[in-house]
Amino acid sequence: MASTVLEATRAAHEDLERLERLAVRELQRDPANARDRLFQSHRVRHMLDLVVSTSDKLVEIYEDKDNARKDEINTHLTAPTQTLLFSKYYERLKEIRDYHRRNPSARFVSTTDDYEELMKEEPVIEFTGEEAFGRYLDLHELYNEFINSKFGTPMEYSAYVGSFSQIEKIPQSHKTTRQYREYLEHILEYLTSFLYRTEPLQDIEKIFSKLESEFEERWMNGEVPGWGNKSTEKESEAEEPEIDLDYYITVEELVELGPEKLKQALAARGLKSGGTVQQRAERLFLLKHTPLEQLDRKHFAKVPRTKDVSNTASNGNNFKDDLKKEIALMEVKMRRLCELLDEVFVRTKENAEKKLTLTYEEMEAEREEEVQADTESDDEEQQIYNPLKLPMGWDGKPIPYWLYKLHGLGQEFKCEICGNHSYWGRRAYERHFKEWRHQHGMRCLGIPNTKNFNEITSIEEAKGLWEKIQAHQGLNKWRPDLEEEYEDQEGNIYNKKTYTDLQRQGLI
């Protein structure tokens, strides 16, 4: 039975509210492990996509371009007489009864069950074996593309991962090439895909739109690193295959540069770049004594009129500037994605360096251990049977009972200085005298925490022992008035008190 426009509007609003409640309930649940957290994020992202699509349908309904909603409201709410109002009601009731008469087996289906299944759904996320379910990056294809390019240098995979975002080391003469541009496109495509798979709730489009707005302002002010300002432009022009003809005396010296450099130099000046190496060198050597504006037009590439030389040169410069701007924007986006995935890059580099020291069997065993750890973490939610209330070990399970008895963990030691804190086992009790809690308690009592106070846990005993130590130190204490010696001019020896008394009386 086809629903009306108003019913479709009501159902859409109900779906929106139900999706919002489900998303909140899903986010309030604590995931058991990293895999469950990733599934949770993808489920919430799917709900948000449903919210967006449903909202778009509601916007179309409220825009009412075909006036269907307006006509339906007028039909139901504005009737000229009471008779017509009831007649429309009975017509609608007849349609409902006819529908159920034709479909007697039709039953009410609650959409709540369909939405509840979204909470139990396990999203399908595709990761390569190298990525290990989002823990590492798989940069091998980009690595092969880098080392086999003109702008790349041979290096190990781990070194490539460590210097992945350091694109400022690439000469600017290579950055305007098609090969470098395709390399950046592949980087952005992979990093965007990886970020969406590992952090689906991250709004990548919003991040890029903010970057683009900031980039436009920085590009106009010449603040883009390595691109915008005039000094870098001059450096880039120097780095480009620009040939200074003042250093060359004959055409043969230009021939030694090779066909590619000559071709690039001719194309940069708007001249024909075809022919043999000798012809290219002769054509370029003409500029040594003749300015570019006075050169015969037959040497220019596809220029019908001499006045169009400046126009074609300006168009070429504009195209080159647009290309530089596009590549600079791609580099800015790449740096931002690398910042968002900084921790993943660190883990990837550590994993690549670790693999250099492992054999194939050891790598397979380690991968199986990671999978087993993920499956074991799923079982952690189950209640652990521990009737004897034994302490937990490093694996989160109760330690064996024989180990519990061996270390005497059933014995309780209380320390009054530590605020009546309990220590289980002799080993923990002896170790606590050097820990921060006991040291803080002794500091509050004004007593130094020395070896003399080991095995003392009572405040009264500690104070009594400290008074005895102070009294004993008072007997053996050095007294300068009686023990410090002074000598007069005649060689007589006096202590400090006697010497000062005789000096005041003028006898010395």
Side-chain angles (χ1 to χ4, degrees):
M1 182 175 62
S3 60
T4 61
V5 178
L6 293 179
E7 176 62 21
T9 306
R10 185 205 62 77
H13 281 289
E14 183 182 359
D15 292 342
L16 286 178
E17 293 179 2
R18 186 179 290 110
L19 286 169
E20 290 175 0
R21 288 194 296 268
L22 287 175
V24 171
R25 194 170 74 183
E26 178 68 16
L27 290 174
Q28 288 177 343
R29 183 181 62 84
D30 293 332
N33 48 39
R35 184 186 295 263
D36 192 16
R37 185 180 295 106
L38 185 59
F39 285 159
Q40 181 190 60
S41 301
H42 275 274
R43 280 193 291 266
V44 174
R45 178 56 187 258
H46 181 52
M47 295 176 191
L48 294 179
D49 292 339
L50 291 177
V51 168
V52 172
S53 61
T54 308
S55 301
D56 292 339
K57 293 178 182 178
L58 279 174
V59 170
E60 293 179 1
I61 292 175
Y62 283 118
E63 287 179 354
D64 199 16
K65 296 180 180 180
D66 55 354
N67 294 326
R69 181 171 178 271
K70 182 178 180 181
D71 294 342
E72 187 171 336
I73 292 175
N74 293 332
T75 301
H76 287 284
L77 302 180
T78 58
T81 60
Q82 195 77 5
T83 308
L84 292 176
L85 180 63
F86 278 103
S87 63
K88 294 181 180 298
Y89 168 76
Y90 284 116
E91 287 177 3
R92 181 63 179 156
L93 181 60
K94 183 180 179 182
E95 290 179 4
I96 296 174
R97 287 176 175 174
D98 291 340
Y99 173 79
H100 285 285
R101 191 179 296 112
R102 292 192 304 269
N103 303 279
S105 60
R107 62 181 181 85
F108 172 73
V109 179
S110 176
T111 56
T112 306
D113 299 336
D114 298 336
Y115 285 102
E116 289 292 338
E117 290 181 359
L118 294 176
M119 303 285 289
K120 305 175 183 177
E121 182 184 12
E122 186 172 306
V124 179
I125 313 170
E126 295 183 356
F127 286 104
T128 63
E130 183 70 20
E131 289 172 341
F133 213 80
R135 294 182 61 187
Y136 312 114
L137 290 162
D138 187 2
L139 303 176
H140 286 86
E141 292 185 4
L142 297 173
Y143 167 69
N144 293 329
E145 185 177 354
F146 177 80
I147 61 176
N148 293 320
S149 62
K150 293 182 179 179
F151 54 85
T153 54
M155 61 176 67
E156 293 291 337
Y157 178 71
S158 57
Y160 171 75
V161 176
S163 61
F164 182 79
S165 60
Q166 299 175 4
I167 52 179
E168 62 274 3
K169 295 182 179 180
I170 300 176
Q172 197 170 5
S173 58
H174 295 300
K175 290 188 176 182
T176 55
T177 59
R178 185 178 64 179
Q179 192 179 27
Y180 181 73
R181 181 181 176 183
E182 292 177 353
Y183 173 69
L184 284 180
E185 290 176 353
H186 296 161
I187 288 178
L188 291 178
E189 181 181 358
Y190 174 74
L191 293 182
T192 305
S193 171
F194 184 84
L195 186 64
Y196 175 77
R197 286 177 289 158
T198 54
E199 299 181 21
L201 297 180
Q202 191 80 258
D203 194 350
I204 303 177
E205 295 181 358
K206 184 177 180 181
I207 295 174
F208 281 170
S209 61
K210 183 179 179 181
L211 272 180
E212 290 173 0
S213 60
E214 295 176 354
F215 173 79
E216 289 293 335
E217 183 177 356
R218 293 172 62 190
W219 182 264
M220 294 296 295
N221 298 333
E223 297 175 354
V224 179
W227 289 97
N229 50 23
K230 294 181 179 179
S231 61
T232 55
E233 286 181 359
K234 290 180 180 179
E235 292 175 1
S236 65
E237 290 177 0
E239 289 177 357
E240 289 179 357
E242 190 77 18
I243 299 175
D244 190 0
L245 297 176
D246 294 336
Y247 293 100
Y248 300 94
I249 302 175
T250 60
V251 178
E252 286 72 15
E253 294 179 358
L254 286 175
V255 172
E256 296 177 357
L257 294 176
E260 290 298 326
K261 289 187 177 181
L262 292 174
K263 181 179 179 180
Q264 292 175 359
L266 290 170
R269 293 171 171 81
L271 300 175
K272 292 180 179 179
S273 57
T276 62
V277 181
Q278 184 70 23
Q279 292 174 347
R280 293 178 186 178
E282 292 175 355
R283 194 179 302 121
L284 183 61
F285 194 75
L286 293 174
L287 296 175
K288 183 175 178 65
H289 305 290
T290 307
L292 185 64
E293 295 78 10
Q294 300 178 5
L295 201 64
D296 193 354
R297 61 183 181 181
K298 68 179 181 179
H299 298 294
F300 289 94
K302 296 182 181 179
V303 180
R305 282 180 265 179
T306 55
K307 65 178 182 180
D308 293 336
V309 175
S310 59
N311 294 334
T312 55
S314 62
N315 292 335
N317 292 332
N318 292 334
F319 174 76
K320 188 179 294 185
D321 292 340
D322 293 340
L323 180 61
K324 290 181 179 179
K325 182 179 179 181
E326 183 180 357
I327 294 175
L329 178 59
M330 294 170 68
E331 290 183 352
V332 171
K333 290 181 178 179
M334 172 193 169
R335 289 193 184 98
R336 180 55 180 161
L337 290 174
C338 292
E339 291 175 1
L340 295 174
L341 298 171
D342 184 49
E343 295 181 0
V344 186
F345 272 100
V346 173
R347 289 200 300 266
T348 305
K349 183 180 179 182
E350 293 176 353
N351 184 50
E353 293 175 348
K354 183 180 179 181
K355 279 187 175 182
L356 295 176
T357 61
L358 299 177
T359 62
Y360 176 76
E361 290 77 11
E362 291 174 341
M363 287 189 287
E364 287 296 325
E366 185 178 359
R367 187 173 300 175
E368 290 178 1
E369 288 178 1
E370 292 177 356
V371 174
Q372 186 177 2
D374 292 338
T375 55
E376 288 179 354
S377 58
D378 295 338
D379 301 334
E380 289 179 356
E381 296 181 358
Q382 300 178 0
Q383 188 175 1
I384 299 175
Y385 182 70
N386 188 12
L388 298 178
K389 297 182 180 179
L390 300 175
M392 296 297 174
W394 61 270
D395 56 352
K397 297 179 180 179
I399 64 174
Y401 185 71
W402 65 267
L403 187 63
Y404 173 79
K405 297 292 290 182
L406 177 64
H407 291 286
L409 298 180
Q411 298 178 359
E412 181 182 9
F413 298 89
K414 284 193 175 182
C415 181
E416 187 181 2
I417 298 175
C418 297
N420 290 325
H421 188 78
S422 297
Y423 297 94
W424 296 91
R426 183 72 188 176
R427 183 180 180 185
Y429 170 71
E430 293 176 352
R431 191 171 58 240
H432 99 279
F433 288 104
K434 297 180 181 180
E435 293 178 349
W436 67 271
R437 192 190 301 273
H438 193 82
Q439 291 178 356
H440 176 71
M442 296 291 286
R443 197 180 303 114
C444 293
L445 295 175
I447 302 174
N449 189 24
T450 60
K451 292 182 179 180
N452 298 325
F453 295 91
N454 277 359
E455 302 291 336
I456 294 180
T457 58
S458 173
I459 295 177
E460 294 298 329
E461 292 179 2
K463 287 183 176 179
L465 180 59
W466 177 236
E467 291 175 357
K468 291 181 180 179
I469 292 174
Q470 284 182 323
H472 182 69
Q473 288 178 349
L475 296 176
N476 300 329
K477 192 175 181 180
W478 181 64
R479 292 172 292 179
D481 294 341
L482 300 177
E483 298 180 4
E484 191 173 0
E485 295 181 348
Y486 288 82
E487 184 180 358
D488 59 3
Q489 294 179 355
E490 298 177 358
N492 300 317
I493 303 298
Y494 307 95
N495 59 27
K496 182 179 180 181
K497 183 178 180 181
T498 305
Y499 182 82
T500 53
D501 291 342
L502 294 174
Q503 194 175 28
R504 290 194 193 100
Q505 296 173 10
L507 301 176
I508 297 179

